[in-house]
Amino acid sequence: MTQHMKTNTIACTTLNKPYRVAIIPARGGSQRIPRKNIRLLNGKPLIAYSIETALASRLFDKVIVSTDDAEIAQIARDFGAKTPFLRPANLADHMTGTTPVMQHALRFLIDEGKIPNEACLIYATCPLLTTEDLQQGLAQLNQTTSFCFSATTFDFPMQRALHITENGELAPMFPEHISKRSQDLVEAIHDAGQFYWASTQNWFDEEIFGPKSKPLLLPRHRIQDLDTEEDWLRLTQIMTLTSGQTL
């Protein structure tokens, strides 16, 4: 990060009201579920849920969708998000990580001359996210944490996982733990893939899952990956069963 950027970042933090943004990445080329980010879920484009939750939280001065796709950009605007740029092709393939996309969006804002104090990356694929999750994440970030991200527990002890070897034989992933009782194993957690809070500075200087990061643990029933049609069906069932209920 340049010295110019660091100086402006410090200056921004002296404002009476913190300036915060949400960035929602949504590329057009979803491979496993085509056009996933705007596929209709209970009659509404999937990305709309993340936009509406971010806006309803009242935490953000701007909710920005980072996309390379004109149709996604238009739908994002229809639901109240901003799309001040189209993401370049080199940041829109299936190999592009979260951090470079976030840094690209933040550099755009830096070049505009107003640097956020904090920025939250929210995935377009988390319709079970709540405003309270975002608010609690920000509160935890402010407790001297470099990153706060959503996480949940594994529903089975990961230390007792099995795998099939290259020669077709069954083998434990962690042989030293395979015979232990589940209650004697340390409970493991994993990234829930919903949101990631950090200061603008830390988006450039720190790792999301570094030693100073803290997870906000969410219940497993509100976490659903969206990588396959089976995942989509399960999410549809969850949304139908919980419609109008507090999750």
Side-chain angles (χ1 to χ4, degrees):
M1 188 183 300
T2 66
Q3 184 61 43
H4 174 69
M5 179 182 168
K6 289 185 178 181
T7 301
N8 282 343
T9 304
I10 294 170
C12 184
T13 62
T14 64
L15 298 175
N16 291 331
K17 180 183 180 296
Y19 178 56
R20 302 188 187 103
V21 297
I23 307 294
I24 302 175
R27 69 186 185 92
S30 303
Q31 290 187 316
R32 289 172 289 190
I33 303 179
R35 308 299 285 169
K36 172 175 65 176
N37 291 318
I38 54 174
R39 184 171 173 174
L40 295 183
L41 177 67
N42 284 6
K44 187 160 56 177
L46 180 62
I47 193 174
Y49 292 91
S50 294
I51 294 171
E52 291 178 340
T53 299
L55 292 170
S57 74
R58 305 181 67 85
L59 294 173
F60 304 107
D61 296 273
K62 285 184 179 180
V63 175
I64 295 172
V65 169
S66 169
T67 185
D68 62 319
D69 187 278
E71 183 183 12
I72 293 176
Q74 183 58 60
I75 290 172
R77 291 191 293 270
D78 290 344
F79 283 90
K82 306 294 184 184
T83 56
F85 57 83
L86 283 179
R87 199 194 313 172
N90 67 309
L91 290 177
D93 62 37
H94 69 282
M95 297 298 292
T96 303
T98 294
T99 299
V101 171
M102 190 64 168
Q103 290 175 347
H104 170 265
L106 291 173
R107 285 192 183 101
F108 179 90
L109 296 174
I110 290 164
D111 290 342
E112 282 194 325
K114 193 170 185 183
I115 305 173
N117 298 74
E118 296 100 8
C120 184
L121 186 145
I122 303 172
Y123 279 136
T125 54
C126 51
L128 302 176
L129 179 68
T130 70
T131 58
E132 291 77 13
D133 297 333
L134 294 173
Q135 291 160 356
Q136 291 175 22
L138 176 60
Q140 187 157 299
L141 176 71
N142 290 333
Q143 297 173 7
T144 65
T145 295
S146 63
F147 273 86
C148 179
F149 63 96
S150 59
T152 196
T153 57
F154 284 89
D155 59 2
F156 186 84
M158 60 166 288
Q159 298 92 334
R160 293 176 64 180
L162 306 171
H163 72 107
I164 305 296
T165 66
E166 290 183 0
N167 61 9
E169 295 180 348
L170 184 69
M173 293 286 290
F174 307 99
E176 68 274 24
H177 296 302
I178 195 65
S179 299
K180 293 181 180 179
R181 302 183 308 166
S182 58
Q183 58 264 45
D184 295 330
L185 298 170
V186 175
E187 186 171 52
I189 65 173
H190 64 86
D191 173 22
Q194 296 198 350
F195 68 83
Y196 310 83
W197 270 109
S199 69
T200 293
Q201 195 80 45
N202 282 340
W203 273 109
F204 289 88
D205 292 349
E206 302 287 343
E207 297 292 332
I208 293 178
F209 305 118
K212 297 180 182 177
S213 299
K214 299 294 183 184
L216 179 70
L217 289 177
L218 302 179
R220 288 198 298 264
H221 69 268
R222 287 206 289 110
I223 307 301
Q224 177 59 51
D225 283 340
L226 275 180
D227 295 326
T228 66
E229 288 294 338
E230 183 179 2
D231 292 339
W232 187 276
L233 175 61
R234 186 168 186 271
L235 176 62
T236 302
Q237 293 170 338
I238 293 171
M239 296 288 288
T240 300
L241 290 171
T242 59
S243 179
Q245 301 180 27
T246 301
L247 296 177

